Every structure is written in structure tokens, then in C-alpha cells.
Amino acid sequence: DETIKIWDANTGKCLKTLEDPSGTVWSVALSPVCRRVIRGSDDNTIKIWDVNIGTCLKTLEGHSNYVGSVSFSPDSIRIISGSYDKTIKIWDANMGVCIKSLKGHSGYVQSVAYSPDGSRIISGSADKTIKIWDANTGKCLKTLEGHSNWVNSVAYSPDGIRIISGSGDETIKIWDANIETCLKTLRGHSDWVRSVAYSPDGSRIISGSD
């Protein structure tokens, strides 16, 4: 409905609605250390909002197709975005300028995430792979292969030791982030897995599916 809503996690009350009539909201992320929220949209842009006053601070332009995934770095200094233009972009969160454009996927970039220490970026793609990138240099360090369909969602464990991925092949995979091998494949969904996440203590994984 082209809005972003801020909710009280304890009461479930909607605290604020941010109107964004420029396009469908595909992805949102809250800044870990300051009161900002970012969103990716099918208008090919990323917008940065001030949560307190409810106004758009900046619009980041540079992608040539839908922005399906956005994330802040752990220190909130950087923003990453994954797009249907097959690239990942790293942005300066304060200046709103693109620092690097990471190219290597041959399909839509469906999901991006920072490692907990901010040194790595992971991306999942329609090319069925996960890539691990050096967050400073933008170099692709490793490509993880094993899914037989689109990789729609990726996430690091809170300690940075594991990576999880959800795919159109109806599975979730758990990877060792250091030796880049698949440790376990979780089966149970009967359709595409669209979203995966770790609990804050790393003991649980949740997944959402078609």
C-alpha cells in the first residue's frame, strides 16, 4: 500500500505511518544505532527516513531496476542494497552517495546482509548462489553453491559463525561462514522459502514460505 509503519514491539500499537507514494515497498531496515529507517522500492531507489519526525531525509539513486533488499551496517555508517539490476551497492548513509557497486551475480539479487562485525556482506540471487564479499574492498571472496533454485533470503547468525539461506527449492541451508560449506539442509516447506532469520541468541531459525 506504499506505506512504512513503525510498530511498538511490546504492545503491537502502530506508532507512525510513513507515506511513500513513489512505489511498492519491497524491503525495510531499521538503523541499529540511530533513529532512521531505509526502504527499497520498485521505483529503483532507496529512501532514508527519520523515524522521529517521519520525514524522508534522502533518496538514493543509482540502481536501474527494483531494489528488493536493503540493510544497514552494524555501525549504521553504511547501507547496502540488492537489486534486480543484478548488482549490490554500498552507500554512505550520511552523504547518500554510492561508494561501491558489486557485480558478479548473473541473476536478480534477492537478499543482502552484513556480518555482525561489518567486515563481510552476503548476497543471495536468482542465479541460485550466495556470494560472500569483503565489505571494504568489494571483492567477492567466495561463492556458495548448493541450492537448485533462487536464493531469496540470506542472514548471518548473531555470532557471525553461520549463514542461513532460504530458496525456491523449498529448503533452508545452514552454512559454516568460515570454511564456506553447507552443514545442514532443513526440509519441511512445500513451496518457495521467501524469508529466513535468526533469533537474537542464535538458538532458533524462523522461515517464511509461499
Side-chain angles (χ1 to χ4, degrees):
D1 63 5
E2 302 182 345
T3 69
I4 301 158
K5 292 186 181 291
I6 310 296
W7 306 82
D8 185 300
N10 294 313
T11 66
K13 179 183 178 182
C14 182
L15 303 175
K16 197 179 292 288
T17 298
L18 310 179
E19 301 287 342
D20 186 21
S22 55
T24 300
V25 178
W26 280 44
S27 181
V28 292
L30 276 167
S31 167
V33 297
C34 58
R35 301 286 289 179
R36 289 182 294 171
V37 63
I38 51 175
R39 74 95 178 104
S41 171
D42 63 4
D43 69 356
N44 306 350
T45 72
I46 300 102
K47 287 189 176 181
I48 306 173
W49 297 77
D50 184 293
V51 173
N52 292 320
I53 60 178
T55 59
C56 180
L57 302 175
K58 287 186 185 300
T59 299
L60 313 184
E61 299 179 340
H63 283 296
S64 60
N65 209 327
Y66 299 170
V67 179
S69 183
V70 291
S71 182
F72 275 102
S73 61
D75 59 10
S76 296
I77 293 174
R78 300 282 184 263
I79 291 167
I80 50 173
S81 55
S83 170
Y84 271 39
D85 65 10
K86 305 176 185 178
T87 70
I88 299 111
K89 291 186 183 294
I90 305 174
W91 310 79
D92 183 299
N94 294 316
M95 300 295 292
V97 296
C98 181
I99 299 168
K100 290 185 185 300
S101 187
L102 313 183
K103 299 177 181 178
H105 282 297
S106 60
Y108 304 149
V109 179
Q110 297 288 97
S111 181
V112 290
Y114 267 101
S115 62
D117 65 1
S119 67
R120 298 285 186 268
I121 293 166
I122 51 173
S123 56
S125 170
D127 65 11
K128 308 176 187 178
T129 71
I130 301 148
K131 289 186 181 290
I132 303 174
W133 310 80
D134 185 296
N136 294 314
T137 66
K139 179 183 177 181
C140 182
L141 302 174
K142 188 75 175 180
T143 298
L144 308 183
E145 299 179 341
H147 283 295
S148 59
N149 207 328
W150 293 19
V151 179
N152 297 313
S153 184
V154 291
Y156 269 99
S157 61
D159 59 10
I161 295 175
R162 301 283 184 264
I163 292 168
I164 51 172
S165 55
S167 170
D169 65 12
E170 305 174 6
T171 71
I172 300 104
K173 289 185 182 291
I174 304 174
W175 308 79
D176 186 299
N178 295 315
I179 59 175
E180 295 101 11
T181 58
C182 182
L183 302 174
K184 198 176 289 289
T185 299
L186 312 183
R187 294 181 172 88
H189 286 296
S190 59
D191 211 328
W192 282 37
V193 179
R194 295 288 184 177
S195 184
V196 292
Y198 266 101
S199 61
D201 66 358
S203 66
R204 298 287 186 268
I205 292 167
I206 55 173
S207 55
S209 166
D210 283 3

